[in-house]
Amino acid sequence: MKLNTDKFIFKIIIVFTMIMSCSDIPSNISDDLDQPDLSEQKLDFLGITNKHKLSAASKRALQWSNDQLYNNDWYFEYSVYDLKGDFAYQEGVVRRDPSAIIKHQGKYYTWYTKSIGKTDGFDGDINKDKVFPWDRSDIWYATSEDGVIWNEQGVAVSRGPQDAYDDRAVFTVEIMAYKGMFYLCYQTVGGPYNKRVKNQIGLAWSDNPNGPWTKSPKPILSPTDNGIWKGNDLQDRFSVIKKGDFDSHKVHDPCIIPYKGKFYLYYKGEQMGEAITFGGRQIRHGLAIADHPKGPYVKSPYNPISNSGHEICVWPYNGGIASLITTDGPERNTVQWAKDGINFEIMGAVKATPKAIGLNRTLDQEKAPLEVLRWGLTHEYKNYNYQYIRGFKIKKK
Ligand code: AAL
């Protein structure tokens, strides 16, 4: 009798532990990941010699869901092309990091970083110089009838007045159109632009894409404040006593997506004491969620939500969120998808990706996994000083 009671209590503990651990881990991409399929057909498809001697690579391959294995709709190649009008290359002017394209009253709209003049770097007087191509920049916008000839319309959001949190540069902008309102989220730098300066995210809103824009009085997202610099050299961003979270130095490349009744702000984090890993910069993405477009945005406890990537490029697809992971980290050049917007899995691996994509949100994002990439905007370095906005289009195999 005693034995039975013990068994019963043991079972209760097991069930309770399972429920607790499940509730803490959001569900994964595909249920068939949990139980690797060891059927003869699967082993044959993967070309595995001996199912009792599985290499680490074969074990990983057996974890892939059927969707990951057999679905090539996540693969693409791309080409870039020159745009016309004000997006033709202009010596002496930086235009870069285009936002998504939206359509309003029959015209395409995009917003972007614009600055003038060459980059001086950090060796001179940072109070006078332009330290990066995106330093001393403002957010401009342009419209187009056909997506090829673009007409610059003017400044949308400019740097703040002296001593404001955004008094040095506002740049790398994204647009969200939602219920008749327009929201621009963007990077900001305030004060002297030294290598340890923290970068924050600002927001501006308007009921018209032509403005005027109202700026949030405070940033809507800041770096996590848990790293400790080593020494006082403001031009040394690599020396730290403690690195802190993946976004302890900079929050960058914001993009807000209305999702499941909330607002998902995806962003790139830069860490104090950034290292080189897998031959590239140690870059990861994070997520912050709000109930209202204006915030407050609360960082997800699951951050970071990528181990690779660079500029954020995300779109809703099939009830989840898709993400193009470019440039840095072991999973660079992959297209990923998360059915809950948090737990991303690799769906496609590509040879290369356009950089700093401005997605074309006028396309039917739900039609196919990569429909939103059919054509859009990217930027290209003419040289270190000057970048310009170009078009890209993908071709599918
Ligand atoms: C880009 C983006 C951010 C960086 C800089 C301008 O690739 O990641 O915008 O700050 O480079």
Side-chain angles (χ1 to χ4, degrees):
M1 187 59 190
K2 166 88 173 64
L3 201 63
N4 276 347
T5 321
D6 281 352
K7 265 190 186 163
F8 181 67
I9 292 173
F10 182 63
K11 272 186 189 160
I12 298 257
I13 291 172
I14 294 281
V15 169
F16 181 71
T17 316
M18 280 169 70
I19 291 172
M20 288 311 286
S21 56
C22 285
S23 64
D24 202 34
I25 301 171
S27 55
N28 230 323
I29 176 180
S30 176
D31 297 335
D32 53 4
L33 279 182
D34 301 328
Q35 306 238 321
D37 172 9
L38 287 174
S39 66
E40 287 308 320
Q41 196 194 3
K42 190 60 154 287
L43 292 164
D44 183 55
F45 184 83
L46 293 171
I48 288 173
T49 301
N50 182 341
K51 68 177 170 191
H52 302 296
K53 299 279 180 196
L54 292 172
S55 66
S58 292
K59 284 181 192 157
R60 283 202 298 281
L62 283 162
Q63 289 290 334
W64 292 328
S65 69
N66 287 341
D67 204 21
Q68 288 169 303
L69 258 185
Y70 304 116
N71 186 342
N72 286 309
D73 292 344
W74 297 88
Y75 180 81
F76 70 89
E77 290 175 14
Y78 74 97
S79 55
V80 290
Y81 53 91
D82 278 336
L83 297 171
K84 297 184 180 145
D86 293 323
F87 281 176
Y89 176 68
Q90 191 183 353
E91 190 71 26
V93 179
V94 174
R95 289 188 185 88
R96 55 174 292 148
D97 290 298
S99 77
I101 300 172
I102 61 165
K103 211 168 202 177
H104 179 74
Q105 295 181 347
K107 274 189 193 157
Y108 294 116
Y109 279 70
T110 188
W111 288 258
Y112 49 92
T113 306
K114 183 177 177 186
S115 72
I116 307 290
K118 69 170 184 43
T119 294
D120 306 299
F122 286 93
D123 293 337
D125 178 358
I126 55 166
N127 293 311
K128 294 208 190 95
D129 289 349
K130 182 181 171 191
V131 300
F132 280 126
W134 50 86
D135 185 15
R136 303 190 186 282
S137 57
D138 300 292
I139 293 163
W140 287 60
Y141 77 113
T143 60
S144 172
E145 303 276 347
D146 59 3
V148 177
I149 304 168
W150 289 87
N151 302 308
E152 191 158 80
Q153 300 295 333
V155 182
V157 177
S158 22
R159 283 161 269 179
Q162 203 181 341
D163 298 329
Y165 70 93
D166 58 352
D167 69 358
R168 178 82 182 215
V170 288
F171 55 121
T172 312
V173 59
E174 258 305 339
I175 178 77
M176 174 178 73
Y178 182 76
K179 291 198 173 163
M181 288 291 289
F182 300 86
Y183 299 88
L184 293 175
C185 57
Y186 47 88
Q187 295 180 197
T188 67
V189 174
Y193 206 146
N194 58 59
K195 289 187 185 170
R196 286 189 177 181
V197 76
K198 300 261 170 163
N199 290 194
Q200 308 186 87
I201 290 172
L203 186 81
W205 53 87
S206 176
D207 59 6
N208 189 320
N210 299 299
W213 297 90
T214 305
K215 269 198 212 179
S216 60
K218 287 193 287 193
I220 57 161
L221 204 74
S222 298
T224 303
D225 192 17
N226 60 357
I228 306 168
W229 295 115
K230 188 173 176 188
N232 298 319
D233 182 357
L234 295 176
Q235 300 297 27
D236 175 6
R237 71 187 179 96
F238 297 111
S239 298
V240 285
I241 292 163
K242 181 177 159 20
K243 283 161 74 82
D245 283 13
F246 76 104
D247 61 349
S248 57
H249 191 181
K250 297 175 181 176
V251 288
H252 271 176
D253 295 274
C255 176
I256 306 173
I257 295 198
Y259 183 58
K260 293 190 171 162
K262 300 201 183 263
F263 298 88
Y264 276 43
L265 192 174
Y266 290 91
Y267 65 98
K268 179 190 89 182
E270 291 193 6
Q271 192 175 23
M272 292 162 61
E274 182 185 299
I276 297 290
T277 56
F278 294 92
R281 292 184 60 191
Q282 195 180 17
I283 296 288
R284 283 128 316 166
H285 296 167
L287 169 66
I289 301 173
D291 292 332
H292 189 276
K294 292 179 191 167
Y297 284 90
V298 178
K299 290 183 184 176
S300 167
Y302 294 100
N303 281 347
I305 48 114
S306 83
N307 57 36
S308 302
H310 204 90
E311 297 100 350
I312 297 291
C313 177
V314 286
W315 65 96
Y317 177 71
N318 196 20
I321 300 288
S323 174
L324 181 62
I325 297 291
T326 72
T327 316
D328 296 303
E331 294 180 3
R332 61 184 161 237
N333 296 342
T334 62
V335 196
Q336 309 199 357
W337 182 78
K339 81 170 173 196
D340 56 6
I342 294 173
N343 289 281
F344 285 87
E345 297 285 348
I346 295 171
M347 303 302 294
V350 294
K351 288 182 194 148
T353 64
K355 303 292 179 258
I357 285 180
L359 281 177
N360 184 347
R361 299 225 190 258
T362 71
L363 297 169
D364 179 2
Q365 306 180 105
E366 289 291 348
K367 190 173 158 196
L370 304 183
E371 175 67 11
V372 75
L373 292 175
R374 196 144 57 79
W375 67 270
L377 301 174
T378 179
H379 73 205
E380 207 160 280
Y381 275 67
K382 193 77 168 177
N383 51 53
Y384 184 65
N385 289 317
Y386 302 117
Q387 295 84 56
Y388 66 124
I389 294 172
R390 301 187 80 198
F392 78 86
K393 58 181 182 210
I394 64 166
K395 63 171 192 261
K396 310 249 330 128
K397 274 240 161 118

